[in-house]
Amino acid sequence: MFVRTNVPLAPVLLSAVLMTAGCASQGDAKSRTESPTSPAAPHGYVEGATEAAEQQSRLLLGDADSGDTRVLDLITGRIHDTARRVGVTELTTDGRFGYFHGPNGTHVLDSGAWMVDHGDHVHYYSAKTKEVGELPGGTGTSIRSDQGVTVATAADGTAMAYRRAELEKGTLGTPERLPGTHAGPVVPYAEHLVTLVRDGDAPAQAVVLDRSGKRVAAPRSACEDPKGDAVTRRGVVLGCADGALLVREDDGAFTAEKIPYGEEVPGPERAAEFRHRPGSTTLTARAGKNAVWILDVTERAWKRVATGPVVAANTAGEGAPLVVLERDGALHGYDISTGRETTATDRLLKDVPEAAGGGTGAPVIEVDRSRAYLNDPAGSRVYEIDYNDGLRVARTFDLDVRPSLMVETGR
């Protein structure tokens, strides 16, 4: 592996320092060795992990053709081998665990990088990467998590809940089968579970379950042809044929609010898969072949940004540009408020697949608080992009695998 860089490694993020300052008097960034029951154990203690003041991001990479996988530590630049995953068709993450989806099951890998958000401050941790096990459920299985539970929803709508604490120990534990079937992924949120159910041919309705699967709320809602979901600080976003449904919790009460497109959108141009920076309330989704949807959850508003032919898109939100990989192999930056193109890179990818929107061959753009990452399967490399500096290529990681699958953890 060779890393080409235009600048030194990214400095400690000021925002992370400020968020963790509230805990600074109770611990430092060294590895925690005290017992969690000891009076000396600091707030945020995690046994066996090292706490740091900046995010400990890692990239999980997979070659769908060969089954080879790698973990790229973005702090050190080192690449670690992990077990081969032959037949993997999709790679997803919940911020810590990587889920290698195959036709006969989903393998779980603990990336060893994660964060814990306490609202007014954040803890960042790193530990050794470790294999966890194989979840049942083949193609079409969706996995959603929070700090307490991980739920695997199969293509037939059945769902199994796994205790997060068991996964963190390196085992799957004994899952709990949730009653009923669901019209979409079961999404952990606000110490509950949010999902959609359907009665016959009627539009799907949002329901809120407790952790055992018992229905505790059914806010008035309707979601025709649900596709796509995302968890934000404002609530759970569920994609529908006429826009999005936002399910929120406020002081124990759950409500559902429709965010309509405001115009009729043909099926191929609707938002079907959301991408965003974890924690952000600005979501992106492809809007057909030549445009990107921006959903501002805070403002309850959609914006359609006209671009060139879209392969992948994402944004950090909060004033950051919309970053789009287009069919010309270059990254293009767009001002979200105006939709105007502001910058473009030279051609980075020489071989850009026709397919877009994920899968086993299309590149993706992962975004965190300071950088974006673009995988180049044909070139066997990953680009680190400073999106706040005209989409400058900050580092290039040359690999010994074709990274056709990529997710970022530790955010």
Side-chain angles (χ1 to χ4, degrees):
M1 184 275 294
F2 178 70
V3 180
R4 300 192 298 275
T5 179
N6 297 334
V7 294
L9 295 183
V12 174
L13 299 177
L14 176 59
S15 59
V17 173
L18 293 175
M19 285 187 286
T20 56
C23 300
S25 63
Q26 304 178 64
D28 55 26
K30 297 180 180 179
S31 180
R32 308 306 188 187
T33 58
E34 304 92 332
S35 164
T37 59
S38 165
H43 169 62
Y45 170 89
V46 176
E47 185 176 4
T50 298
E51 186 176 356
E54 64 177 330
Q55 64 187 25
Q56 303 295 292
S57 293
R58 294 174 180 174
L59 295 180
L60 304 188
L61 305 165
D63 183 337
D65 293 330
S66 69
D68 291 331
T69 65
R70 300 288 186 269
V71 177
L72 169 57
D73 189 319
L74 293 170
I75 301 299
T76 65
R78 296 176 180 172
I79 295 177
H80 305 277
D81 293 351
T82 53
R84 296 181 74 238
R85 304 289 168 219
V86 177
V88 169
T89 57
E90 185 181 10
L91 173 59
T92 61
T93 186
D94 55 19
R96 173 173 177 172
F97 295 90
Y99 301 99
F100 293 81
H101 300 257
N104 301 313
T106 300
H107 186 82
V108 185
L109 175 71
D110 186 348
S111 74
W114 71 95
M115 61 166 281
V116 178
D117 189 348
H118 287 293
D120 59 342
H121 65 278
V122 178
H123 294 271
Y124 296 103
Y125 297 101
S126 63
K128 291 182 179 180
T129 300
K130 58 187 176 185
E131 308 289 341
V132 177
E134 191 91 3
L135 294 175
T139 303
T141 298
S142 301
I143 299 179
R144 305 290 185 265
S145 305
D146 65 4
Q147 297 300 320
V149 66
T150 292
V151 182
T153 308
D156 63 4
T158 59
M160 304 289 286
Y162 295 79
R163 294 181 180 87
R164 184 76 168 192
E166 295 297 322
L167 270 65
E168 292 170 356
K169 294 176 183 177
T171 65
L172 296 177
T174 303
E176 181 176 355
R177 169 75 178 269
L178 300 179
T181 58
H182 313 278
V186 177
V187 182
Y189 167 69
E191 300 183 4
H192 289 75
L193 306 171
V194 174
T195 189
L196 292 163
V197 297
R198 182 180 285 111
D199 184 9
D201 295 330
Q205 303 287 323
V207 297
V208 180
L209 315 174
D210 66 15
R211 295 294 179 154
S212 66
K214 179 183 177 181
R215 186 179 300 191
V216 296
R220 181 173 298 179
S221 62
C223 185
E224 188 77 48
D225 190 23
K227 291 181 182 177
D229 60 275
V231 177
T232 75
R233 291 183 181 274
R234 302 288 181 179
V236 178
V237 174
L238 305 171
C240 309
D242 57 351
L245 188 66
L246 176 64
V247 179
R248 300 185 60 201
E249 183 271 341
D250 184 12
D251 198 23
F254 289 85
T255 59
E257 177 183 356
K258 183 59 68 70
I259 307 177
Y261 287 120
E263 61 185 81
E264 188 169 344
V265 176
E269 297 181 11
R270 58 167 289 196
E273 180 183 355
F274 296 107
R275 298 189 65 84
H276 69 305
R277 176 179 61 80
S280 172
T281 57
T282 304
L283 310 184
T284 67
R286 293 178 61 246
K289 295 182 178 180
N290 300 299
V292 175
W293 286 112
I294 301 293
L295 173 57
D296 186 328
V297 180
T298 301
E299 298 297 327
R300 313 289 199 273
W302 292 90
K303 178 185 289 291
R304 187 178 185 274
V305 177
T307 64
V310 179
V311 177
N314 211 333
T315 183
E318 300 176 359
L322 168 66
V323 183
V324 182
L325 173 67
E326 300 184 10
R327 284 280 300 138
D328 60 5
L331 288 176
H332 298 253
Y334 294 85
D335 185 301
I336 290 178
S337 61
T338 65
R340 182 176 61 88
E341 183 174 348
T342 57
T343 188
T345 68
D346 294 333
R347 185 176 186 180
L348 297 178
L349 274 62
K350 306 304 181 185
D351 183 8
V352 183
E354 291 286 347
T360 59
V364 297
I365 299 171
E366 293 285 296
V367 176
D368 59 35
R369 289 184 177 274
S370 64
R371 294 290 190 265
Y373 296 91
L374 170 68
N375 58 322
D376 178 5
S380 297
R381 62 176 63 93
V382 170
Y383 294 102
E384 179 181 75
I385 306 297
D386 186 345
Y387 54 77
N388 287 317
D389 188 15
L391 303 184
R392 175 177 57 86
V393 177
R395 290 187 289 177
T396 301
F397 300 94
D398 293 328
L399 308 168
D400 62 348
V401 298
R402 292 168 56 92
S404 56
L405 304 171
M406 181 180 78
V407 295
E408 183 180 357
T409 66
R411 299 177 293 177

